[in-house]
């Protein structure tokens, strides 16, 4: 299982964003146990979809508003209905990871029962740093690209040239970052499958 522990940064000097995150994440992400406030400005959820977990972790960390800890491993079953009542190594790994994330430039850390966690962390930290530097215009073009539109179609939709679309996607390393997250998800899925076989 995957446990995400997400802690709001600068919570004492900014508005509480936890409830909005909980509502939005539970409406858009497939979860085994829902996003729930655990203590103070912290949120936790249990997932089994590596792709969704990784993309959410990167996007939350890249926003600059959150420190994100991704833990993977075994959990005690049956899982309780309340996310915050969950126990097991994956929960402990997520706790270690979020504390470490608070002291990184990427605001993201990964912890798990294998050395693969170290490589995953390096990949996702770099990806989060890349994503954090994207401009609004890159998000505009990239989101349409992710929906399957061609650069010509995006250019027509946005009222710009195809060259401008290409420039925005290239400057944002849009496809490269997506590929990095896809490969990280495959790696995490392999780790989860190995854990199931133990």
């Amino acid at each position: 299982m995957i446990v995400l522990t997400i802690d709001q940064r600068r919570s004492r000097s900014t508005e509480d964003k936890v409830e909005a995150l909980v509502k939005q994440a539970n409406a858009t992400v497939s979860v085994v146990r829902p996003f729930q406030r655990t203590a103070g400005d912290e949120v936790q959820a249990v997932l089994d979809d590596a792709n969704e977990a990784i993309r959410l972790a990167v996007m939350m960390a890249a926003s600059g508003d959150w420190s994100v800890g991704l833990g993977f491993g075994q959990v005690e079953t049956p899982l309780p209905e309340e996310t915050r009542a969950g126990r097991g190594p994956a929960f402990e790994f997520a706790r270690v990871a979020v504390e470490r994330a608070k002291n990184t430039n990427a605001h993201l850390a990964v912890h798990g029962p294998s050395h693969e966690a170290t490589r995953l962390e390096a990949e996702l930290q770099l990806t989060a740093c890349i994503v954090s530097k994207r401009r609004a215009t890159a998000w505009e073009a990239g989101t349409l690209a992710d929906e399957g539109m061609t650069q010509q179609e995006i250019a027509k939709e946005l009222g710009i040239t195809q060259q401008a679309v290409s420039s925005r996607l290239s400057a944002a390393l849009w496809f490269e970052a997506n590929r990095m997250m896809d490969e990280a998800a495959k790696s995490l899925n392999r780790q989860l499958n190995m854990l199931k076989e133990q």
Side-chain angles (χ1 to χ4, degrees), residues 8-102:
Q8 185 175 340
R9 300 181 64 233
R10 301 181 299 275
S11 58
R12 293 181 181 177
S13 59
T14 59
E15 64 179 319
D16 188 323
K17 300 178 181 180
V18 170
E19 290 307 317
L21 171 62
V22 168
K23 185 175 181 180
Q24 183 178 5
N26 283 330
T28 57
V29 179
S30 299
V31 294
V32 177
R33 288 295 181 272
F35 285 87
Q36 184 178 64
R37 187 192 293 264
T38 53
D41 300 307
E42 189 176 271
V43 179
Q44 195 169 62
V46 182
L47 303 88
D48 60 4
D49 186 316
N51 189 56
E52 284 198 318
I54 281 174
R55 287 182 180 276
L56 182 62
V58 167
M59 297 307 160
M60 291 295 95
S63 74
D65 294 328
W66 308 94
S67 293
V68 183
L70 187 156
F72 65 92
Q74 303 287 359
V75 296
E76 290 184 10
T77 55
L79 278 166
E81 289 302 313
E82 293 283 310
T83 306
R84 56 179 158 246
R87 298 174 52 136
F91 286 92
E92 296 163 15
F93 292 146
R95 162 64 44 215
V96 171
V98 76
E99 289 303 320
R100 198 167 66 246
K102 294 174 184 179

Side-chain angles (χ1 to χ4, degrees), residues 175-191:
F175 299 113
E176 294 83 356
N178 279 353
R179 185 177 176 207
M180 183 77 86
M181 288 187 282
D182 289 343
E183 292 302 317
K186 290 176 187 176
S187 178
L188 182 52
N189 269 324
R190 285 194 294 270
Q191 295 300 307

